[in-house]
């Protein structure tokens, strides 16, 4: 079945620097790749997603890139701010006729130091 | 927050007792999911539902059962709780138009002593 690997598990950057989190997946049929941000004690919140017919998607300081051939996708955060500190999860879909399932990576704890 | 609530939000129970967690949505979404979250494991799917009375297993379903008798409610039951089921449980929902996009409830923190 689908397996999603996420790296690094922890990431510390200075405020204003960029942060990159990478994920690889195993099922070539996966076609939807969301990213979630989870602050301490809160629920995961969708921050950006990409579908397999698109190579890159941007939303202000956040961008996601997808390489279907290599089966990896990445989250890029530019001009990081302390409020970006959180755990970030990637996921890949398992397409099914009765509801898409998501397989999540293990998470990356991002710390942005002022 | 996508009209999803979970109850209870916190629970402490003893090994061997049954526990039922409830997920309630007001969005009339077709698909509902139960995940558990543990350090180092991310979010793992326990069970999911694609309609009333239609459910299926996820990757960590052993020791759990679910029921969905109404569109708005999805119940997760631990028949006989064990310490390994201490975790944070999240419910998620998705709609039929963009069914892969999932939105999460606030979570239930369960401690099994």
């Amino acid at each position: 079945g689908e397996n999603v690997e996420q790296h690094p598990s922890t990431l510390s950057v200075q405020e204003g620097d960029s942060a990159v989190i990478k994920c690889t997946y195993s099922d070539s049929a996966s076609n939807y790749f969301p990213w979630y941000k989870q602050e301490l004690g809160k629920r995961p919140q969708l921050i950006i997603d990409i579908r397999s017919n698109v190579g890159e998607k941007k939303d202000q300081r956040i961008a996601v890139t997808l390489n279907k051939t290599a089966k990896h996708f990445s989250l890029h955060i530019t001009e990081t701010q302390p409020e970006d500190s959180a755990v970030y999860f990637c996921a890949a879909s398992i397409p099914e006729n009765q509801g898409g399932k998501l397989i999540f990576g293990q998470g990356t704890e991002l710390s942005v130091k002022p | 927050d996508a009209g999803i609530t979970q109850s209870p939000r916190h629970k402490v129970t003893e090994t061997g007792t049954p526990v039922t967690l409830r997920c309630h949505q007001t969005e009339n979404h077709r698909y509902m999911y139960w995940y558990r979250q543990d350090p180092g494991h991310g979010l793992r799917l326990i069970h999911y539902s694609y309609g009333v009375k239609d459910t299926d297993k996820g990757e960590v379903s052993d020791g759990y059962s679910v029921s969905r008798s109404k569109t708005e409610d999805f119940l997760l039951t631990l028949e006989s709780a064990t310490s390994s089921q201490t975790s944070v449980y999240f419910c998620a929902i998705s709609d039929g138009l963009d069914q892969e996009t999932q939105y999460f409830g606030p979570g239930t923190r369960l401690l099994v002593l």
Side-chain angles (χ1 to χ4, degrees):
Chain A
E2 174 71 284
N3 184 51
V4 177
E5 295 287 335
Q6 183 172 346
H7 298 281
S9 56
T10 60
L11 179 60
S12 182
V13 300
Q14 287 296 130
E15 183 177 359
D17 287 350
S18 295
V20 180
I21 303 170
K22 299 181 179 181
C23 290
T24 60
Y25 61 98
S26 59
D27 191 337
S28 57
S30 291
N31 57 12
Y32 174 67
F33 308 92
W35 286 88
Y36 288 83
K37 175 184 179 182
Q38 186 179 28
E39 297 175 348
L40 189 63
K42 305 285 187 171
R43 73 186 79 191
Q45 298 266 22
L46 179 72
I47 56 171
I48 195 167
D49 56 13
I50 191 168
R51 297 190 181 274
S52 59
N53 58 345
V54 175
E56 182 176 2
K57 184 176 178 180
K58 283 186 178 180
D59 183 3
Q60 299 182 347
R61 297 186 296 108
I62 294 173
V64 57
T65 59
L66 171 64
N67 183 328
K68 283 223 75 178
T69 302
K71 289 190 272 188
H72 66 71
F73 56 112
S74 300
L75 177 71
H76 305 254
I77 306 174
T78 59
E79 300 174 22
T80 54
Q81 301 167 4
E83 51 265 39
D84 294 328
S85 296
V87 179
Y88 291 81
F89 292 96
C90 65
S93 67
I94 300 177
E96 291 191 10
N97 292 331
Q98 295 171 325
K101 293 193 292 185
L102 294 178
I103 301 299
F104 285 82
Q106 297 86 349
T108 296
E109 184 174 1
L110 173 64
S111 176
V112 180
K113 299 180 187 288
Chain B
D1 285 318
I4 314 169
T5 57
Q6 292 183 232
S7 59
R9 294 294 313 280
H10 303 272
K11 186 169 181 66
V12 181
T13 191
E14 294 186 350
T15 298
T17 60
V19 176
T20 295
L21 308 182
R22 179 185 184 227
C23 178
H24 179 77
Q25 58 141 333
T26 58
E27 305 296 318
N28 201 35
H29 283 358
R30 179 180 175 188
Y31 304 99
M32 299 185 75
Y33 309 82
W34 275 109
Y35 292 90
R36 61 177 291 173
Q37 184 174 40
D38 305 287
H41 291 277
L43 292 147
R44 293 182 291 174
L45 183 65
I46 305 172
H47 282 281
Y48 68 104
S49 169
Y50 45 92
V52 174
K53 298 187 178 179
D54 291 324
T55 65
D56 205 349
K57 296 178 180 179
E59 56 184 312
V60 290
S61 59
D62 287 349
Y64 302 95
S65 63
V66 290
S67 66
R68 191 168 178 200
S69 59
K70 298 185 288 184
T71 299
E72 56 266 35
D73 289 327
F74 193 31
L75 303 181
L76 177 71
T77 297
L78 291 64
E79 302 290 348
S80 178
T82 68
S83 58
S84 64
Q85 294 176 312
T86 291
S87 187
V88 180
Y89 291 86
F90 285 100
C91 173
I93 64 174
S94 64
D95 63 25
L97 296 176
D98 189 13
Q99 62 197 44
E100 295 163 312
T101 301
Q102 296 183 19
Y103 301 95
F104 285 83
T108 294
R109 191 172 295 272
L110 176 66
L111 174 61
V112 183
L113 300 173

